[in-house]
Amino acid sequence: MAIPFSFREDPHVPHFDDSSPLAVMDAECAICSWGARMIHRLDRSQSVRICPIQTPLGTALLRHYGLEPTDPSSWLFIDKGIAHQDFDAVVYAARQFGGWGQLAIVLLILPKPLRDWLYRRLARNRYAIFGRGDMCALPDPDFQKRLLR
């Protein structure tokens, strides 16, 4: 995942403005919806956009990075053309926001294999643990402006 802007060369990925960071996440997951609200709250620059995996762009980006859109257990944070995945994406994004977002750095205490295992467990059971949500239905007009559909 280290080749910057590799998605530009993929004919299956629709063109989009990639000049700002992009979070690609499951719009139907309550924890992802909470994460999207946290991005909206913590990103003081208001530059990070959010793309539901249920959109053509979200689906294409997941496929481009070898992830299965019909089993959206991963999320991506793409910044400067580089994709970060799962807990690494959470930590990377949170560090960009500063403030309370810096608390996510605690996850780095865990060895990467353990972080990955923990993320997979949470992601696989996210609907049972956290329930379902609808990120796209959030009424905040400023939040809605961040969504790429």
Side-chain angles (χ1 to χ4, degrees):
M1 279 200 231
I3 300 171
F5 300 102
S6 62
F7 52 81
R8 288 179 179 170
E9 305 302 319
D10 187 336
H12 298 101
V13 176
H15 175 74
F16 67 100
D17 177 6
D18 58 16
S19 62
S20 299
L22 178 65
V24 183
M25 48 185 34
D26 183 359
E28 297 174 355
C29 167
I31 191 74
C32 293
S33 293
W34 176 83
R37 288 191 308 274
M38 292 308 297
I39 288 171
H40 180 59
R41 187 173 301 138
L42 295 172
D43 176 27
R44 301 212 190 284
S45 70
Q46 298 188 1
S47 64
V48 176
R49 288 156 310 131
I50 299 163
C51 180
I53 62 164
Q54 289 80 7
T55 64
L57 176 60
T59 296
L61 285 168
L62 283 180
R63 283 195 177 119
H64 175 77
Y65 289 107
L67 303 170
E68 179 54 51
T70 58
D71 179 23
S73 60
S74 292
W75 76 280
L76 298 173
F77 189 80
I78 302 172
D79 187 24
K80 298 178 180 98
I82 302 289
H84 306 272
Q85 185 178 338
D86 303 337
F87 271 148
D88 291 341
V90 171
V91 172
Y92 181 88
R95 291 175 75 182
Q96 304 307 304
F97 304 140
W100 288 104
Q102 294 290 344
L103 293 177
I105 208 164
V106 169
L107 292 170
L108 295 179
I109 293 170
L110 302 173
K112 183 162 175 41
L114 181 57
R115 282 195 317 264
D116 292 345
W117 178 85
L118 181 60
Y119 184 88
R120 284 190 306 275
R121 287 282 177 244
L122 286 171
R124 192 172 303 142
N125 297 297
R126 69 192 178 283
Y127 296 137
I129 297 169
F130 303 106
R132 292 188 177 266
D134 187 358
M135 171 193 317
C136 298
L138 294 173
D140 182 342
D142 288 332
F143 178 82
Q144 290 295 321
K145 289 177 191 173
R146 288 180 182 258
L147 291 177
L148 289 181
R149 298 176 194 245

